[in-house]
Amino acid sequence: ITIKSINLYPISMPFVEPLKTSFGMEPFKGAVLVEVITEDGVSGWGESAVAPQPGYSGETVATAYHIIRHFMAPLLTGKTISDPYQARSILKVVRDHHHARAGIEGAVWDAFAKANDMRLTDLFASYTNDSSTNRVVVGVSIGIQPSVEDTLKIIRKRLGQGYQRIKLKIKRGWDVDFAREIRQALPDTTIMLDANSAYTLADADHLAQLDELNLLMIEQPLQPFDIYEHGLLNHHLETPICLDESVRTSNDLRIALQVNAIDILNLKPARVGGYAESLDMYAICVEHELPLWIGGMLETGIGRAANIAFAALPGVTLPSDISATDRYFATDIAEPAFVLAEGSTLTVPDGPGIGVEVVRERIEEAAARWEEHHL
Ligand code: OSB
Ligand code: MG
């Protein structure tokens, strides 16, 4: 494909249910949607999924827009690409800004798959030498609630909808006792916790009390740069450690494996800068028999469709953080909505590329909403 032009849409969308984490509340959904248009008139779509505040990574909607508009889009415009991995090489001269890069690189992957009339999932599978499955086992991520009772109410609602893996956000002062009460009320539910970097190594003994609660894993207990410290923490914990924020590159993953800091990987294409890096990490996980699942950044239908395409690879062995559309939005910007099916699964769409249709009027509405924030 030859890239003719690139359009950017910074957007804001209201959430059906906000997500409160140890680093704060996501009051609305923010993203930069990226449209790559080829000389042949194919439109590829990608999503730079960013939080409105720089609390998860250092990026925001405004930084992603700035970096793509002034640095990344000019590098790709006019280029001919015969393999989507070339997009990563071309964009390498822009350091960091992984969420921004994942959006523009994702749009290239979608355009490339559509130009070759193939599903994105089959394009990914062609790099991993296996065939994609059509169903993705998923769970649901639940934010910090005002009380244990409120949390149980939401968990029961999600179990009723068919979700079979529940992820609960925790923070300092809302962890061991909280998780114990949930476990006592729901002895057989598959539960995991996500600390979003709330702790330090000094909390090791405190966190070890979680071991008796039969948790699937604890996600990102320590700080993003504390890979080595996660290795030390692992001596004190039986609960498997899953890394999220700490693993931004394949090299981070190799270091984490080397120092025994990781039992499970939450692989988020947005965090690692796109699908080429994700495929490299996937190969490392398969090589080391490291269990992995695909994480989410509360994506719109565009980003979620691409993540579902990736999560359908057979090496993704644990339930992914990709929920049905109605968990996030009343009206999404892509159609059709993703609906939870039998066995806590989502189904990979049939069409070429990401397989969902973008509704342009809704993008315009969401872009107008973004303007209102003056961020
Ligand atoms: O830590 O996994 C996280 C959402 C925004 C930022 C960080 C995280 C999350 C989630 C939501 O847990 C997962 C989803 O998209 O459903
Ligand atoms: Mg996380």
Side-chain angles (χ1 to χ4, degrees):
I1 56 172
T2 299
I3 297 168
K4 187 173 158 202
S5 58
I6 297 174
N7 297 326
L8 302 181
Y9 306 92
I11 60 154
S12 159
M13 312 230 298
F15 281 128
V16 170
E17 179 190 310
L19 187 74
K20 188 174 173 200
T21 64
S22 63
F23 62 79
M25 170 80 95
E26 311 251 342
F28 56 85
K29 194 264 168 337
V32 177
L33 302 178
V34 185
E35 181 184 21
V36 161
I37 301 172
T38 71
E39 292 286 358
D40 296 327
V42 173
S43 272
W45 288 92
E47 175 171 348
S48 294
V50 272
Q53 316 102 332
Y56 170 78
S57 74
E59 295 181 64
T60 67
V61 175
T63 69
Y65 180 78
H66 168 72
I67 292 289
I68 301 172
R69 162 99 169 68
H70 295 289
F71 302 98
M72 292 178 172
L75 284 168
L76 279 177
T77 305
K79 291 281 186 334
T80 298
I81 281 172
S82 57
D83 178 332
Y85 261 72
Q86 289 164 355
R88 176 174 65 170
S89 312
I90 293 167
L91 295 169
K92 245 189 186 144
V93 295
V94 180
R95 197 174 296 253
D96 298 333
H97 300 286
H98 287 194
H99 297 252
R101 176 140 45 95
I104 189 167
E105 198 232 40
V108 172
W109 280 93
D110 182 41
F112 191 87
K114 282 171 175 160
N116 288 283
D117 196 26
M118 73 197 289
R119 297 187 308 165
L120 188 56
T121 193
D122 297 322
L123 180 58
F124 290 150
S126 73
Y127 287 85
T128 63
N129 296 314
D130 38 32
S131 50
S132 135
T133 61
N134 275 327
R135 293 214 145 182
V136 178
V137 180
V138 302
V140 64
S141 175
I142 298 176
I144 295 169
Q145 307 298 319
S147 71
V148 172
E149 267 321 301
D150 291 311
T151 312
L152 284 170
K153 211 169 131 189
I154 298 197
I155 297 174
R156 291 202 170 98
K157 172 173 149 189
R158 296 304 179 205
L159 293 173
Q161 291 172 327
Y163 290 102
Q164 291 172 8
R165 188 230 62 184
I166 302 291
K167 163 164 143 181
L168 299 173
K169 296 285 186 179
I170 57 168
K171 62 174 183 178
R172 227 165 235 290
W174 189 250
D175 44 37
V176 175
D177 294 340
F178 161 72
R180 192 179 291 118
E181 288 189 58
I182 301 288
R183 177 47 88 210
Q184 275 162 5
L186 299 166
D188 300 320
T189 303
T190 302
I191 296 171
M192 58 176 288
L193 305 178
D194 186 357
N196 286 108
S197 300
Y199 302 96
T200 70
L201 199 51
D203 300 305
D205 290 337
H206 178 68
L207 293 174
Q209 298 175 81
L210 295 170
D211 284 347
E212 62 192 43
L213 302 182
N214 184 29
L215 301 168
L216 185 61
M217 68 190 89
I218 180 167
E219 189 176 331
Q220 195 67 36
L222 309 181
Q223 304 306 297
F225 286 107
D226 291 354
I227 295 180
Y228 175 66
E229 286 77 2
H230 279 99
L232 299 179
L233 178 67
N234 223 349
H235 294 295
H236 300 269
L237 279 193
E238 277 166 40
T239 306
I241 294 179
C242 170
L243 292 184
D244 176 357
E245 285 90 326
S246 285
V247 179
R248 297 165 188 233
T249 63
S250 311
N251 195 52
D252 290 340
L253 178 56
R254 289 191 194 282
I255 292 169
L257 283 162
Q258 188 69 37
V259 301
N260 192 31
I262 187 167
D263 301 306
I264 297 169
L265 177 65
N266 167 347
L267 175 46
K268 271 187 199 175
R271 185 190 71 231
V272 308
Y275 295 93
E277 191 70 20
S278 296
L279 284 165
D280 288 355
M281 287 196 193
Y282 177 91
I284 295 170
C285 290
V286 170
E287 179 194 334
H288 291 266
E289 295 180 27
L290 185 73
L292 85 145
W293 49 280
I294 304 307
M297 288 295 297
L298 308 165
E299 279 89 351
T300 72
I302 292 176
R304 243 164 336 118
N307 287 352
I308 288 167
F310 198 96
L313 295 170
V316 178
T317 48
L318 287 164
S320 291
D321 253 355
I322 313 171
S323 302
T325 300
D326 67 4
R327 182 259 172 263
Y328 307 99
F329 312 111
T331 313
D332 202 344
I333 44 118
E335 291 283 348
F338 289 101
V339 179
L340 195 71
E342 197 74 26
S344 199
T345 62
L346 295 177
T347 308
V348 181
D350 260 337
I354 57 175
V356 292
E357 290 297 328
V358 169
V359 184
R360 287 184 189 269
E361 303 84 78
R362 295 193 196 148
I363 291 187
E364 271 150 38
E365 281 168 41
R369 242 181 263 120
W370 168 254
E371 294 291 322
E372 303 287 305
H373 297 306
H374 301 290
L375 274 168

